[in-house]
Amino acid sequence: MTDLHPTHRHADQDGQFRRKPSKFRNFISKEPGAQFPPEKDRYALYINMGCPWAHRTNLVRSLKGLEDIIQLVKCDFELTKQGWLFTGKRGSAKRDPLYGLGSMRELYEKAEPGYEGRYTVPCLWDKKTEGIVSNESSDIIRIFYSEFDALLPEHLQEKNKPGGGFYPQGLMGEIDGMNEWVYDTVNNGVYKCGFATTQVAYDANLFPLFESLDRLEKHLGEEGHTPFLFGEHLTEADVRLYTTLIRFDVAYYNIFSCNLKMIRHDYPRLSRWLRYLYWDGGKVLNGDAFRKTVDFWTYKYGYLKSKGRVESDENLVIPRGPVPDIMPLEEATGKNRRSPRPAPLDILFWLAWATLAAAKQQSTKTVVADPPGAAEARLTGNPMYNANGHHATIPHTKFDGNADWP
């Protein structure tokens, strides 16, 4: 096995990945005398676009309409020994816009001189005290649910939400119960598979992951569990599951070897639930947030890098598929419906193409055949790929979740 740099050595000596707890667990509160009261422009949310834990917080920030109240700061999503960096690349600021810093490590050390720990995102920062409120995603999203409601229009306040908002009192027990096993086996389960360094550790987490996906598929088929996990209204359970499943087919399936099944082919109810959220377009949910906070290419790139790939960006081989990144809201039916999986003749065709292309490359050092994905890109008009088949965006509670990796 390749000897990884310590920055990318995520598993313990027994091969198991164990996520470390978050250190900063303070709360913003509207209660009189609170240390961190809700105020416009006082707080900044640090994220990177690859991290599912940071994605949760960014998603709720958008769903709640907090964009003009809480500043968003993006760093790059390639992990270094300095933590996440500000590089000016891939949506990152060139420097931290508040203090001109170059890395999350510097921000953590500004908050706590001599800090020894992980430099994780998400990170909710208080500009007034120049300190960290929280770096725990499960706490941050609950802060966002209601603590800033006095600064929001009435229709975005939790007390006025149909069904009681993200964490309704009547569903708290059920949501907490689902959160517990989904976090352990799905949200964190994909990491325990992807970062496992022994077969025993990998197998010990792979099968529970798919047992839980089977359980979620069954749950969505039960009465009162559609279109969302707990019925007619979006809850915290949907938010927490979404940021894992939107990455599943494009990244966890191939890069993290979570490859017993795919969401799009093997879980019709979960696939429908995922597509319903992604393609909502703001019709039911606020601001098209489920689509606008997603970046599929980032997930592929970031997870490859998190596995310790050291190639330069120009030489890094990034998986093309699946195409499309997510299926349309309404899948085709009848004669126009695509097979759930490639037919045997399709597989033989692509194997033959790959063999001929490899032989031609060996003899001429140039591949002239149409690259994989080009034909489908032209046929589907998928904006994520250009006519050459190239990705259009490639530039030449209790502790639950944070990340010093994507």
Side-chain angles (χ1 to χ4, degrees), residues 138-154:
S138 61
D139 292 346
I140 295 172
I141 61 175
R142 289 190 176 179
I143 290 170
F144 288 175
Y145 293 163
S146 59
E147 298 308 311
F148 290 88
D149 273 5
L151 305 177
L152 294 173
E154 289 190 2

Side-chain angles (χ1 to χ4, degrees), residues 174-313:
E174 290 181 75
I175 291 172
D176 288 342
M178 177 174 283
N179 285 348
E180 185 171 358
W181 58 267
V182 167
Y183 165 73
D184 183 50
T185 58
V186 181
N187 301 140
N188 202 37
V190 293
Y191 284 87
K192 291 191 281 189
C193 294
F195 290 149
T197 57
T198 67
Q199 189 69 47
V200 170
Y202 170 70
D203 289 342
N205 294 291
L206 181 71
F207 297 106
L209 164 62
F210 284 93
E211 288 170 3
S212 289
L213 291 176
D214 292 344
R215 182 176 176 183
L216 286 163
E217 178 76 5
K218 180 180 178 182
H219 174 89
L220 284 170
E222 295 170 353
E223 186 176 356
H225 293 161
T226 186
F228 304 107
L229 287 169
F230 286 102
E232 296 182 5
H233 306 291
L234 183 80
T235 68
E236 176 180 282
D238 297 286
V239 169
R240 290 168 56 116
L241 181 61
Y242 177 82
T243 60
T244 295
L245 292 200
I246 199 65
R247 290 161 169 78
F248 198 93
D249 286 358
V250 299
Y252 299 143
Y253 181 86
N254 49 16
I255 299 168
F256 273 10
S257 300
C258 300
N259 51 15
L260 294 182
K261 300 178 183 178
M262 294 183 82
I263 302 301
R264 68 186 60 201
H265 295 315
D266 302 294
Y267 292 104
R269 296 189 189 104
L270 278 173
S271 178
R272 173 69 183 180
W273 168 86
L274 185 66
R275 289 179 284 120
Y276 183 79
L277 291 171
Y278 181 85
W279 293 112
D280 170 69
K283 294 187 292 294
V284 177
L285 308 166
N286 186 49
D288 200 14
F290 281 92
R291 184 179 61 85
K292 290 182 178 178
T293 57
V294 166
D295 188 331
F296 291 109
W297 179 82
T298 295
Y299 307 154
K300 297 178 185 182
Y301 176 92
Y303 284 115
L304 282 171
K305 286 291 190 177
S306 76
K307 297 276 284 184
R309 297 288 289 271
V310 297
E311 300 96 321
S312 65
D313 285 0

Side-chain angles (χ1 to χ4, degrees), residues 31 42-43 90 97 104 107 109 111 115 121 145 156-158 166 187 192 210 222 273 291 305 323 340 357 368:
E31 294 299 321
R42 175 168 173 169
Y43 302 98
R90 297 175 281 263
M104 287 302 294
L107 188 74
E109 291 176 344
Y115 173 79
V121 291
Y145 293 163
L156 291 174
Q157 297 176 14
E158 291 301 278
F166 287 99
N187 301 140
K192 291 191 281 189
F210 284 93
E222 295 170 353
W273 168 86
R291 184 179 61 85
K305 286 291 190 177
V323 176
V368 296

Side-chain angles (χ1 to χ4, degrees), residues 380-391:
T380 63
N382 184 355
M384 301 299 290
Y385 294 86
N386 61 31
N388 294 321
H390 299 150
H391 198 291

